[in-house]
Amino acid sequence: MYDKTFEEVLERFRTIAFSEQFDMIVAIANGGIIPAAIINQRFGVEIQLLKINLRDSNQKPLYDSPQLMAPIDFEYKGKTILLVEDRVKTGASLTKACELLKEAKLIKTFAVNGKADYSLYDESCFKFPWLL
């Protein structure tokens, strides 16, 4: 498994082009928190957490489908949202999040690695440089 340096990944964060302007960034916690914070350095908009869980820290499924772990405690209706996840394997967490936030004006998805509207990589799994 090839690991990427923090500098390599940050360069992708710096150079990715976004077509929309977002009212907020919603990070799927916990994996999306650090990528959302990095993206927010460019946008300077509010970040909210959506606590959804499907897998454990070793990427083994804990549930049959993603579960909402805490109530949504922010206003998202009518907003343009960038939904951020670190790794997208099946897309189940992004799909669940989009269902939960369906009253938003627009939702675009972002993944560090995997299939999304915006992604830095779409390749076999690699260890993120910010993980211990």
Side-chain angles (χ1 to χ4, degrees):
M1 175 167 58
Y2 171 69
D3 290 334
K4 301 194 182 325
T5 67
F6 197 57
E7 291 75 25
E8 279 180 272
V9 178
L10 275 182
E11 184 59 23
R12 297 257 181 136
F13 273 106
R14 276 190 212 76
T15 59
I16 189 168
F18 293 94
S19 302
E20 300 81 13
Q21 291 201 338
F22 299 101
D23 298 318
M24 72 170 45
I25 297 170
V26 176
I28 296 180
N30 284 329
I33 294 172
I34 291 174
I38 294 170
I39 292 169
N40 194 46
Q41 294 300 305
R42 286 177 57 180
F43 292 138
V45 298
E46 68 178 297
I47 296 178
Q48 298 292 339
L49 300 182
L50 187 59
K51 296 174 182 158
I52 295 177
N53 196 11
L54 176 60
R55 301 174 187 276
D56 66 17
S57 60
N58 295 314
Q59 298 302 309
K60 303 285 185 243
L62 293 170
Y63 312 102
D64 291 336
S65 63
Q67 302 295 307
L68 183 63
M69 307 308 286
I72 299 172
D73 62 355
F74 56 91
E75 185 53 52
Y76 58 89
K77 295 174 185 165
K79 304 261 177 124
T80 301
I81 295 172
L82 182 62
L83 181 63
V84 178
E85 178 66 294
D86 58 353
R87 180 177 290 116
V88 176
K89 287 186 167 191
T90 65
S93 292
L94 286 181
T95 299
K96 176 72 171 185
C98 287
E99 288 170 10
L100 292 167
L101 301 172
K102 66 182 178 232
E103 293 180 68
K105 178 179 177 183
L106 176 71
I107 301 172
K108 290 291 183 170
T109 57
F110 174 92
V112 175
N113 191 19
K115 295 206 180 314
D117 294 316
Y118 299 100
S119 56
L120 301 183
Y121 300 91
D122 187 9
E123 56 190 56
S124 59
C125 286
F126 59 89
K127 184 177 178 185
F128 296 127
W130 49 83
L131 294 178
L132 301 175

